Amino acid sequence: MSSAQTVTKLLRMLPMATLAKLFHPKEVDIGSRKAPMGVGKAVRLGWPLDQPRATFGTIAGFWNLQEKVKYPSLPENVLRGGESVISGIPDWTGIVITTDNGECYMPGVHPSTILGYRQSISLQDGVVHTNVTWKPQNQDAVFQLNFTVLAHRTRVNLGLVRLDMAVDRSARFTVTDVLDGAGASRAHFGDKDFTDDLIWTSVKPWGIETTIAYIASAVTFSGMGTDELEAAERSRKDASETQWVSKNLSTIAQSWDLQFNKSDTRTFSIYKHVGIASSDAFPKHTQSTALHTALDSAQIPWSDLVKEHTDAWKATWEDADIVIPGDEELQITARGSLFHLLANSRPGTEPHGLGDNSIMVSGLSSDSYAGLIFWDSDVWMYPALLTLYPEHAMSINNYRSRLLPQALENAQSYNYSGLLFPWTSGRFGNCTGTGLCRDYQYHLCFDVAQAHWHYYLHTKDDEWLLNTGWPIIGNAADMFANYVVKNQTTGQYETKLLGEPDEFAFNINNGAYTNAGIKMLLGTWAPAAAKILDISRPKNWSRIAENVKIPYDEKGDIIIEYDGMDGLVKIKQASVTLINYPLGWNVNERQAQNDMTFYATANTADGPAMTWSMFAINEAQLQDQGCAAYTYLLHGSQPYLRGPFYQFSEQQTDRWTAEFFGTETHAAFPFLTGYGGYLQVFTHGFSGLRPQLDALFLDPMMVPQIPNGVQLRGVKYQGATLDINIGLENTTISRRRDSGRSELETDENSILLTIRIGGKALLPGDHTLRPGTTLTVPTRRPDRNGTAIPGNLAQCRRVSSPPQQPHVPGRLPLAAVDGSNATLWQPATPAPASLVIDLGMRRPVAAISINWGPTPARAFDVAVSDVVDVDVEHVKDPDTMRFVHVFRMEEVTISEPYRPEEAHLVRTREGNLTVATFERAALEARFVRLVIRGTHGNDETVGATVAEVAVL
């Protein structure tokens, strides 16, 4: 057990919080006086388990072996060896309070008995506080119950629970410590015991008799006199058969009878020390590890244990962090994203069972997607960890290396050379009903290879490359060289019958992302690795890389996702968008920009969270003018964040409908893939960071909506640690001094690091950094590089829309002025909706140009205000703005009508345009208000779209 192994900060034993909020840099907990929410209708997980969603505790790598799941992707693969689904362990956080008349504070407590409730989680250290005021129905006594729960950061087998309680009058009650087997999903009972010092139980994952997990609990008390403590200890008994304890075979409980006198004003504290160990990580002394962890912890003061834990997390944030000064929402989301990835992983330097587990899509507090490992960990979660915490990224690579022998067997079973990693994997990595190896998403194999190549670029560890990186990279290259088929007519190498990252694109030929990845693997990554290691490489690698087919529409200058794709395509998630980043390839920059514009429209509006983060990164690199990178940043976060703890959900609506999947299912939650994509906007988008063999490449840029910039603290690269501060005007890259060396030693003996400023940077070139030195370069500002529409006064200016006029999720008001026709503002209804643009100062205005995008409004009007000294976002009375109407159009003309015969064409579309000259001449205005009404769209439940507004 570790902070990685048991992210049970979402407590099974406590009702759901009604209100909580997280703050950075200090912890603040705010709550509600309302009663806790009821359980309500259970949400069901869809593919592949089809069962109620549950929060439970588990241990990393604690997968079972079962014959099949309810919804295998390829039923015939069931015969290849069964599925490996994550199993739970008994819940270790439970403490039940029972009055002398049998009323309990426990899961399912009646909401009417809760007078107050407050819950918080610190994103500094993961400590969960839950404060409850409980009045049993048939008693006058009121109990104040304050729970604290944490999974210890450095003592990897230790979980801690503390209950501080007080009662307002005399009361007799029983305290029960429960290890609740009801949490042990897909695991069966091993053994258990009630001893003089503690209780313990054990479970085995289904089908794996050689693996076992032990959970032990030792309890101590404070706030009691010697006589009271002795009386309590005499009352201790095995409480496993009491009515308030679940009857699962692996459940075990111990209880104490206590009494508070009427005159008591004390706080009485219960400390629960839980040891958890699995034979996967501790094969020789599994049981004794768990038991000794609990008993040893019980001898240490609580304050010392907590200090160890919080000091470790403090050191983590001092080592590396992402800081966005002055922007609470971005800061909380970035810190939360980092925290959850770190809390769900361990450093790869730790032994087998700890340092070689990857990260599940929903982490260790959910069994969404059966707790399986996808490419999400290698492509979405890995890059930010590699940049800031490479030891944690190493564990993702270690997982793939651990399963490499099976990947080699998978390839042989299908008569391929090299390796085949399955689309999903758990304990074994074999091809299964959900883990397809053939005729599906082959790209996973070069995704893993790229992760390993990037690890080498970041570390320059030649020994690691030889022993760990090359077996993955070389075997992946061999597989793809064997997989491609040469078209004898065109001379191109093609791919047949595969799936792309876009899960709507399967059973297709020549997937663009797959083929581009083959080009990079065989043409760049594998040859470079072979050269470093002085390993000869097959001659056909370069021939394939040069001639692999990239589906391309020459007229539209757009890469098409696969052979036969047309302009009516609907894309589930980022696919072609990934070719420019993270693959690092394009035909030319214009093609990459066209891809962004086309696929932003083709992507389904409610696609997965990580998709729009890739748009943000690519826009940051490619945009010449405007600030659409910020629009995409918010598009990829705001619709997906869930209260109260700023956690990502996979989807905007949390429910997929029959439109795309033929059945109703529910999104993964929490969604760590979304965390990973979001973090990359900061680590790789605004910084332009790209690893290169001989340098660290940077192309720093910033958007005006983040006025205090972004700080990347503790970037690790080739033995150096860097702090990169990206401001609105300049970017500083500071190299920290090497620890343990004097200033003289550091300056004279350290290896120089080359910083390569490139891309669209104002002053490109190579620079060297010694420890303790700083490089300052101009920050690129596309919003200052002219306007997409000449003379536009509105581009990248502040905009606001009344909160009572909501917009379609992800289609934000700021999209109307970000300089991109690919982003849209769309009100949630066709009712009148307004947008106020702040020009920053009083300016002469004469006209407005509106690109409506695909769906124009029926009518619109424009008003202006010359008021200067107001903040439009905080104006309560609109009359104080003194708006003057300057234009009205009662019937908007469609300039780009839908033409069925052209709908299939792959091209970027100009959008419907309206240009209007104001009715009054010689106007000056600080604010411009646009009000749109109705829609020309077929869907009259939502409003019109606005791609771009230009004030001229």
Side-chain angles (χ1 to χ4, degrees):
M1 193 280 303
S2 68
S3 54
Q5 293 174 319
T6 55
V7 188
T8 46
K9 52 189 176 291
L10 304 175
L11 306 180
R12 285 169 45 85
M13 66 166 290
L14 299 175
M16 183 181 295
T18 56
L19 181 64
K21 192 174 183 181
L22 310 176
F23 288 89
H24 171 86
K26 63 182 180 179
E27 175 191 2
V28 177
D29 60 339
I30 64 173
S32 171
R33 300 296 298 176
K34 300 177 182 177
M37 296 163 58
V39 175
K41 182 180 178 181
V43 174
R44 293 192 69 81
L45 295 172
W47 182 92
L49 297 178
D50 186 32
Q51 65 181 32
R53 177 188 287 167
T55 298
F56 72 119
T58 189
I59 300 173
F62 200 61
W63 287 291
N64 74 0
L65 177 61
Q66 59 188 70
E67 180 182 359
K68 61 183 178 179
V69 292
K70 184 167 183 178
Y71 295 126
S73 300
L74 189 65
E76 53 265 39
N77 262 18
V78 171
L79 303 177
R80 298 183 66 92
E83 293 286 353
S84 184
V85 178
I86 196 66
S87 298
I89 62 173
D91 174 59
W92 55 269
T93 63
I95 298 177
V96 177
I97 307 300
T98 308
T99 65
D100 56 3
N101 67 346
E103 295 184 68
C104 296
Y105 181 82
M106 59 179 294
V109 63
H110 198 282
S112 66
T113 67
I114 305 301
L115 305 182
Y117 189 95
R118 173 179 302 214
Q119 188 175 70
S120 70
I121 176 175
S122 168
L123 296 184
Q124 292 285 79
D125 52 36
V127 176
V128 176
H129 292 287
T130 308
N131 303 329
V132 182
T133 304
W134 175 54
K135 183 183 181 303
Q137 287 180 323
N138 299 314
Q139 288 214 349
D140 295 328
V142 176
F143 290 76
Q144 183 59 45
L145 309 175
N146 298 335
F147 294 87
T148 301
V149 178
L150 63 96
H152 205 278
R153 186 65 176 163
T154 56
R155 296 174 181 255
V156 298
N157 300 96
L158 179 62
L160 294 170
V161 184
R162 174 174 176 166
L163 170 58
D164 300 314
M165 63 180 297
V167 188
D168 69 344
R169 63 196 65 209
S170 61
R172 293 179 181 271
F173 56 92
T174 299
V175 173
T176 305
D177 165 28
V178 185
L179 299 176
D180 191 349
S185 303
R186 292 173 294 277
H188 67 82
F189 173 53
D191 199 0
K192 63 184 178 182
D193 198 8
F194 174 93
T195 74
D196 291 342
D197 302 310
L198 48 65
I199 56 174
W200 63 265
T201 187
S202 62
V203 293
K204 298 179 179 181
W206 289 351
I208 310 291
E209 288 300 312
T210 56
T211 295
I212 191 167
Y214 286 90
I215 304 92
S217 176
V219 172
T220 59
F221 304 90
S222 71
M224 300 172 64
T226 302
D227 292 343
E228 294 171 313
L229 183 59
E230 291 177 353
E233 290 295 346
R234 288 194 298 271
S235 72
R236 178 178 179 259
K237 58 181 176 292
D238 187 335
S240 302
E241 299 302 319
T242 54
Q243 62 184 14
W244 51 83
V245 174
S246 77
K247 302 309 176 186
N248 187 282
L249 283 176
S250 58
T251 296
I252 191 166
Q254 56 184 335
S255 68
W256 298 263
D257 297 327
L258 304 174
Q259 179 175 343
F260 271 28
N261 297 321
K262 184 176 181 181
S263 59
D264 272 337
T265 58
R266 298 171 297 169
T267 297
F268 166 72
S269 298
I270 305 162
Y271 307 94
K272 179 173 178 176
H273 305 259
V274 183
I276 303 177
S278 76
S279 56
D280 289 325
F282 301 91
K284 293 183 178 180
H285 307 289
T286 313
Q287 183 179 17
S288 63
T289 297
L291 271 60
H292 286 148
T293 295
L295 292 172
D296 292 347
S297 174
Q299 302 303 312
I300 301 172
W302 171 269
S303 59
D304 291 353
L305 292 168
V306 172
K307 187 176 187 302
E308 284 181 11
H309 171 81
T310 56
D311 284 353
W313 273 109
K314 182 180 178 181
T316 297
W317 302 125
E318 289 174 350
D319 176 54
D321 202 356
I322 296 174
V323 179
I324 305 103
D327 193 315
E328 185 179 273
E329 179 181 314
L330 294 185
Q331 181 63 81
I332 294 172
T333 309
R335 166 52 67 85
S337 297
L338 274 176
F339 170 79
H340 287 296
L341 291 187
L342 292 171
N344 282 278
S345 61
R346 295 295 302 178
T349 52
E350 294 184 344
H352 167 65
L354 291 173
D356 56 0
N357 293 300
S358 192
I359 307 177
M360 302 186 300
V361 172
S362 289
L364 292 158
S365 60
S366 168
D367 56 358
S368 292
Y369 294 132
L372 296 167
I373 302 297
F374 293 73
W375 69 302
D376 301 48
S377 56
D378 309 88
V379 171
W380 302 96
M381 306 176 204
Y382 178 85
L385 288 177
L386 178 61
T387 303
L388 299 172
Y389 303 98
E391 294 86 357
H392 284 259
M394 183 192 295
S395 67
I396 296 174
N397 287 339
N398 290 350
Y399 172 78
R400 297 299 184 183
S401 293
R402 174 158 66 87
L403 298 185
L404 175 59
Q406 181 62 55
L408 298 174
E409 289 187 23
N410 295 341
Q412 292 170 9
S413 71
Y414 286 114
N415 295 318
Y416 282 124
S417 301
L419 57 76
L420 276 175
F421 285 110
W423 185 52
T424 70
S425 59
R427 180 178 293 273
F428 304 108
N430 57 308
C431 309
T432 69
T434 66
L436 282 65
C437 291
R438 188 178 68 173
D439 302 341
Y440 197 49
Q441 296 196 30
Y442 290 102
H443 66 82
L444 167 64
C445 298
F446 67 69
D447 293 332
V448 174
Q450 183 184 30
H452 281 68
W453 176 238
H454 280 188
Y455 185 84
Y456 174 75
L457 293 179
H458 276 257
T459 63
K460 292 296 285 287
D461 186 337
D462 289 358
E463 183 178 357
W464 178 90
L465 180 63
L466 175 63
N467 296 321
T468 303
W470 177 251
I472 297 282
I473 297 169
N475 278 295
D478 286 341
M479 188 280 290
F480 281 109
N482 179 224
Y483 165 60
V484 296
V485 178
K486 186 175 183 179
N487 185 316
Q488 298 300 325
T489 302
T490 65
Q492 292 183 310
Y493 290 88
E494 300 185 350
T495 55
K496 305 293 184 182
L497 199 62
L498 67 146
E500 284 289 85
D502 167 23
E503 292 171 7
F504 293 166
F506 54 92
N507 292 337
I508 50 91
N509 297 330
N510 289 313
Y513 175 74
T514 298
N515 289 14
I518 293 172
K519 178 182 284 289
M520 294 300 294
L521 175 62
L522 298 183
T524 302
W525 310 332
K531 183 178 180 180
I532 293 165
L533 299 173
D534 196 23
I535 295 174
S536 61
R537 56 187 184 272
K539 294 181 180 179
N540 67 337
W541 283 7
S542 59
R543 186 165 60 250
I544 293 169
E546 291 169 3
N547 295 286
V548 67
K549 178 180 180 180
I550 305 295
Y552 186 66
D553 187 289
E554 293 187 3
K555 189 173 182 180
D557 197 11
I558 294 170
I559 291 177
I560 60 175
E561 191 179 48
Y562 50 84
D563 282 352
M565 189 203 86
D566 66 19
L568 295 174
V569 68
K570 285 296 180 185
I571 309 294
K572 178 174 180 271
Q573 62 231 95
S575 190
V576 171
T577 311
L578 303 176
I579 294 176
N580 187 70
Y581 175 87
L583 281 187
W585 185 85
N586 58 47
V587 177
N588 54 59
E589 192 167 283
R590 173 52 57 188
Q591 159 266 309
Q593 291 171 334
N594 288 344
D595 287 353
M596 288 283 293
T597 301
F598 177 82
Y599 287 102
T601 303
N603 263 91
T604 56
D606 60 349
M610 71 282 190
T611 287
W612 302 107
S613 296
M614 294 301 105
F615 278 89
I617 296 168
N618 281 292
E619 188 72 17
Q621 176 186 345
L622 296 169
Q623 66 186 154
D624 293 312
Q625 299 161 325
C627 49
Y630 183 73
T631 306
Y632 286 125
L633 172 66
L634 298 190
H635 190 168
S637 56
Q638 287 184 348
Y640 301 93
L641 288 171
R642 300 292 178 264
F645 296 130
Y646 281 76
Q647 293 174 289
F648 272 92
S649 177
E650 183 181 15
Q651 300 288 327
Q652 292 182 2
T653 62
D654 290 334
R655 185 168 66 187
W656 295 337
T657 63
E659 178 183 1
F660 295 124
F661 296 94
T663 184
E664 182 180 288
T665 185
H666 291 83
F669 179 81
F671 189 52
L672 273 64
T673 312
Y675 295 141
Y678 182 82
L679 289 171
Q680 288 185 63
V681 180
F682 298 97
T683 57
H684 294 76
F686 293 130
S687 70
L689 187 152
R690 305 291 185 272
Q692 295 182 351
L693 191 59
D694 61 340
L696 177 62
F697 180 95
L698 297 171
D699 179 16
M701 64 84 65
M702 189 44 60
V703 292
Q705 293 91 346
I706 309 178
N708 296 316
V710 171
Q711 300 171 14
L712 304 178
R713 298 179 178 175
V715 172
K716 315 299 188 302
Y717 198 75
Q718 296 183 4
T721 301
L722 308 171
D723 295 321
I724 303 173
N725 295 338
I726 310 168
L728 287 181
E729 304 298 331
N730 295 304
T731 294
T732 60
I733 304 106
S734 300
R735 182 173 177 181
R736 296 182 187 177
R737 294 194 181 277
D738 296 345
S739 61
R741 293 186 179 183
S742 69
E743 181 175 335
L744 181 61
E745 289 175 327
T746 297
D747 290 342
E748 289 182 351
N749 301 323
S750 291
I751 298 173
L752 295 175
L753 176 67
T754 299
I755 303 295
R756 179 163 296 141
I757 305 298
K760 295 178 180 291
L762 300 176
L763 296 175
D766 284 4
H767 309 266
T768 56
L769 272 185
R770 289 183 181 276
T773 61
T774 296
L775 169 67
T776 301
V777 298
T779 301
R780 181 165 55 85
R781 291 286 300 277
D783 64 297
R784 292 177 176 174
N785 192 29
T787 56
I789 300 173
N792 182 10
L793 303 175
Q795 184 171 291
C796 295
R797 295 295 183 179
R798 283 204 311 165
V799 297
S800 62
S801 184
Q804 64 270 26
Q805 298 174 6
H807 55 265
V808 172
R811 298 197 162 179
L812 309 165
L814 61 91
V817 296
D818 65 5
S820 171
N821 289 337
T823 59
L824 301 172
W825 169 49
Q826 186 175 28
T829 73
S834 63
L835 188 75
V836 176
I837 304 167
D838 182 354
L839 302 181
M841 58 184 296
R842 193 176 293 169
R843 307 286 296 272
V845 295
I848 191 168
S849 172
I850 305 174
N851 186 326
W852 299 100
T855 312
R858 289 284 180 182
F860 73 93
D861 60 76
V862 181
V864 300
S865 169
D866 61 0
V867 173
V868 175
D869 56 346
V870 298
D871 183 345
V872 67
E873 294 183 3
H874 297 94
V875 171
K876 295 182 179 180
D877 183 2
D879 291 340
T880 62
M881 295 291 294
R882 300 199 302 270
F883 276 107
V884 177
H885 285 84
V886 295
F887 188 84
R888 173 166 293 169
M889 180 174 285
E890 294 296 342
E891 187 60 40
V892 173
T893 301
I894 297 178
S895 64
E896 190 181 55
Y898 177 77
R899 296 182 176 88
E901 67 277 10
E902 296 180 359
H904 69 283
L905 299 177
V906 178
R907 59 173 182 145
T908 59
R909 287 167 167 77
E910 182 180 7
N912 291 275
L913 297 174
T914 299
V915 180
T917 301
F918 296 153
E919 297 163 353
R920 298 175 58 177
L923 279 172
E924 284 196 348
R926 160 79 184 272
F927 299 99
V928 177
R929 184 178 68 193
L930 170 67
V931 180
I932 64 174
R933 302 186 298 278
T935 176
H936 276 287
N938 293 327
D939 184 358
E940 295 187 354
T941 65
V942 294
T945 58
V946 177
E948 198 67 18
V949 176
V951 177
L952 309 171

